[in-house]
Amino acid sequence: MTADLLFQVQQLHARVAHLLDEGRFDEWPECFSEDGVYVVQSRENHARGLPLALIHLEGRAMLKDRVFGATDTIYHHPYSQRHLIGTPLLLGHDGSTLHVDTPYLVLRTPRDRLPEVLSVGRYVDRLVHDGSRWRIGSRHCLYDNDLVPNSLIYPI
Amino acid sequence: MTADLLFQVQQLHARVAHLLDEGRFDEWPECFSEDGVYVVQSRENHARGLPLALIHLEGRAMLKDRVFGATDTIYHHPYSQRHLIGTPLLLGHDGSTLHVDTPYLVLRTPRDRLPEVLSVGRYVDRLVHDGSRWRIGSRHCLYDNDLVPNSLIYPI
Amino acid sequence: MTADLLFQVQQLHARVAHLLDEGRFDEWPECFSEDGVYVVQSRENHARGLPLALIHLEGRAMLKDRVFGATDTIYHHPYSQRHLIGTPLLLGHDGSTLHVDTPYLVLRTPRDRLPEVLSVGRYVDRLVHDGSRWRIGSRHCLYDNDLVPNSLIYPI
């Protein structure tokens, strides 16, 4: 494990967050592998091995469908998101697969209101290298706050 | 783009934040180039191409004047700041100029009160290398929260 | 100072935070040197050179005792912690000793409640290399918020 590897992971994380925070949702599924998995689950359910998750998407088609729902069909009060992402803790590496664990904080700012914590927790990521770049093979967003202010509309 | 470049940018960002958070405001303008630009603008005005900005300073002389105002002439309730700065997303590099986009969160703690979010958004930076070190050629602090608790006294 | 050094420091910081946030408190003292020091003190007392600190532990035995107290003897409402740690500003390096200054934010999430800021400030660390890895020789957590919501039970 080297500084170069951390650099590559951090740039991937930064890009994913940037796309979500700037509302470029259409580009978000491309950060995942074709069969990429995206799960949002409470810390407690994950710890107990319970399957219930707030969001569970498998494959880019489902990711795209979610984005379509969030941007075109769900009625909601407008808000913007901002991700602060911690240093990825590098846990395992076997060439084309990398396991990292990363704290995150997502702030939500509704129009004309003060910012609030939307979600805080950690990303448990399996990253895969396809020969040219790293993509997310699976991401489990394990949130600490069971109580979510309002709803999660956009991915976190 | 390499890990070394990210290292240099992160050290610059960390140093700028450290000077502001520790109240060493006199040293802040030196982090900018002689003709450095510092703009604090709402995300919405920036997105619409509107010119109105909360703060717009051009050149070190104006930066120094702002610091003088904040520390010596503006009457305000004492508070401390703390910056949490995300990973810079490296967008472009042509030798002596570097474009990076970086999420930030600034917390404000008034004396005997709980901390609160003062500003959250992203820095859009153009960094310039003068032969010995990187400095800020221009920084646009684009904040998500139109509603600011109280006022911005110190730079963010 | 190089990107490699920053990488090593960030992995240490990430690991320490991970152990605390995942409740693996027993492993936390091992991140310190045998005579490691852990102090939690208000920014103001530190600035004035006053000795009073919220927590002051010297040596792994005291660190272990604190962990025992927090997990086995203190009665408190359950909550989880999450650390967001900024970029370490590298201040000095003389081979086996490294001085770094790092912003931190710790969020607390009580069960069925919204997350709140538990502590925000900076870590002033002296790190020591024992031949195989970096450990914390001393950590001063200097918090900005004199007012702490509820109490500090776990280390921050």
Side-chain angles (χ1 to χ4, degrees):
Chain A
M1 302 267 188
T2 65
D4 267 329
L5 199 57
L6 181 66
F7 166 75
Q8 293 168 35
V9 173
Q10 286 189 303
Q11 288 298 299
L12 172 61
H13 281 174
R15 184 150 182 277
V16 172
H18 183 77
L19 293 176
L20 294 176
D21 292 347
E22 297 308 309
R24 291 163 58 183
F25 299 110
D26 286 353
E27 301 171 63
W28 176 69
E30 299 301 318
C31 298
F32 288 76
S33 62
E34 186 62 42
D35 59 352
V37 170
Y38 177 77
V39 175
V40 181
Q41 189 179 34
S42 77
R43 171 191 188 127
E44 193 177 345
N45 277 15
H46 176 81
R48 295 187 181 186
L50 298 174
L52 189 68
L54 208 55
I55 302 175
H56 188 133
L57 311 174
E58 299 198 3
R60 270 195 208 142
M62 280 182 78
L63 296 170
K64 285 177 187 172
D65 187 63
R66 175 74 191 187
V67 164
F68 180 73
T71 53
D72 286 6
T73 69
I74 303 175
Y75 179 79
H76 67 92
H77 189 73
Y79 69 92
S80 67
Q81 287 192 158
R82 188 65 54 188
H83 286 70
L84 273 290
I85 297 180
T87 303
L89 183 63
L90 304 176
L91 295 173
H93 183 207
D94 76 353
S96 64
T97 303
L98 187 56
H99 294 271
V100 299
D101 202 305
T102 315
Y104 74 81
L105 167 64
V106 183
L107 292 151
R108 174 170 86 151
T109 308
R111 196 164 295 167
D112 300 323
R113 296 243 305 272
L114 292 173
E116 60 194 1
V117 174
L118 177 63
S119 188
V120 60
R122 63 181 169 126
Y123 295 136
V124 177
D125 287 343
R126 180 175 52 81
L127 306 179
V128 290
H129 201 281
D130 66 4
S132 65
R133 51 174 282 201
W134 290 100
R135 292 182 202 267
I136 300 172
S138 70
R139 164 163 290 185
H140 288 73
C141 311
L142 305 178
Y143 55 91
D144 299 337
N145 54 315
D146 289 333
L147 191 61
V148 175
N150 213 298
S151 321
L152 286 188
I153 307 291
Y154 306 121
I156 56 171
Chain B
M1 302 267 190
T2 65
D4 266 329
L5 198 57
L6 181 66
F7 166 74
Q8 293 168 37
V9 173
Q10 286 188 304
Q11 288 298 298
L12 172 62
H13 281 175
R15 183 150 183 278
V16 172
H18 182 76
L19 294 175
L20 294 176
D21 293 347
E22 297 308 310
R24 291 163 58 182
F25 299 110
D26 287 353
E27 300 171 63
W28 176 68
E30 299 301 319
C31 299
F32 288 76
S33 61
E34 186 61 43
D35 60 351
V37 170
Y38 177 77
V39 175
V40 180
Q41 190 179 34
S42 76
R43 171 191 187 124
E44 192 177 347
N45 277 15
H46 177 81
R48 295 186 181 188
L50 299 173
L52 190 68
L54 207 55
I55 301 174
H56 188 134
L57 310 174
E58 300 198 2
R60 270 196 209 141
M62 282 182 78
L63 297 170
K64 286 177 187 171
D65 187 63
R66 176 73 192 190
V67 164
F68 180 72
T71 52
D72 286 8
T73 70
I74 304 175
Y75 179 80
H76 66 92
H77 189 74
Y79 68 91
S80 67
Q81 287 192 158
R82 188 65 53 188
H83 285 70
L84 272 291
I85 296 181
T87 302
L89 182 63
L90 304 176
L91 295 174
H93 183 209
D94 76 355
S96 64
T97 303
L98 186 57
H99 293 271
V100 298
D101 201 305
T102 314
Y104 73 81
L105 167 63
V106 184
L107 292 151
R108 174 170 86 152
T109 307
R111 196 163 296 167
D112 300 322
R113 295 244 305 272
L114 292 173
E116 60 194 1
V117 174
L118 178 63
S119 187
V120 59
R122 63 182 168 125
Y123 295 136
V124 177
D125 286 343
R126 181 174 52 82
L127 306 179
V128 289
H129 202 281
D130 67 4
S132 64
R133 52 174 282 203
W134 290 100
R135 292 182 202 268
I136 300 172
S138 69
R139 164 163 288 187
H140 288 73
C141 311
L142 304 178
Y143 55 92
D144 299 337
N145 55 316
D146 289 332
L147 191 62
V148 175
N150 214 299
S151 321
L152 288 187
I153 307 290
Y154 306 121
I156 57 171
Chain C
M1 302 267 189
T2 65
D4 266 328
L5 199 57
L6 181 67
F7 166 75
Q8 293 167 36
V9 172
Q10 287 189 305
Q11 288 298 297
L12 172 62
H13 282 175
R15 184 152 181 276
V16 172
H18 182 76
L19 294 175
L20 295 176
D21 292 348
E22 297 309 309
R24 291 163 57 183
F25 299 110
D26 286 353
E27 301 170 63
W28 176 68
E30 299 301 319
C31 299
F32 288 76
S33 61
E34 187 61 42
D35 61 351
V37 170
Y38 177 77
V39 175
V40 180
Q41 190 179 34
S42 76
R43 171 191 187 126
E44 193 176 347
N45 278 16
H46 176 82
R48 295 186 181 188
L50 298 173
L52 189 68
L54 207 54
I55 301 174
H56 189 133
L57 310 174
E58 300 198 2
R60 269 194 209 145
M62 281 183 78
L63 296 170
K64 285 176 186 170
D65 187 63
R66 176 73 191 189
V67 164
F68 180 73
T71 54
D72 286 6
T73 69
I74 303 175
Y75 179 80
H76 66 92
H77 190 75
Y79 68 92
S80 67
Q81 287 192 157
R82 188 64 54 189
H83 286 70
L84 273 289
I85 297 181
T87 303
L89 183 63
L90 304 177
L91 295 173
H93 183 210
D94 77 352
S96 64
T97 303
L98 186 57
H99 293 272
V100 298
D101 202 305
T102 314
Y104 74 81
L105 167 64
V106 184
L107 291 151
R108 173 170 87 152
T109 307
R111 196 164 295 166
D112 300 323
R113 294 244 305 272
L114 293 173
E116 59 194 2
V117 174
L118 178 63
S119 187
V120 59
R122 63 181 168 127
Y123 295 135
V124 177
D125 287 342
R126 181 174 51 81
L127 306 178
V128 290
H129 202 280
D130 67 4
S132 65
R133 52 173 282 200
W134 290 100
R135 291 183 203 267
I136 300 172
S138 70
R139 163 163 289 186
H140 288 73
C141 310
L142 305 178
Y143 55 92
D144 299 337
N145 55 315
D146 289 332
L147 191 62
V148 175
N150 214 298
S151 321
L152 288 187
I153 307 290
Y154 306 120
I156 56 171

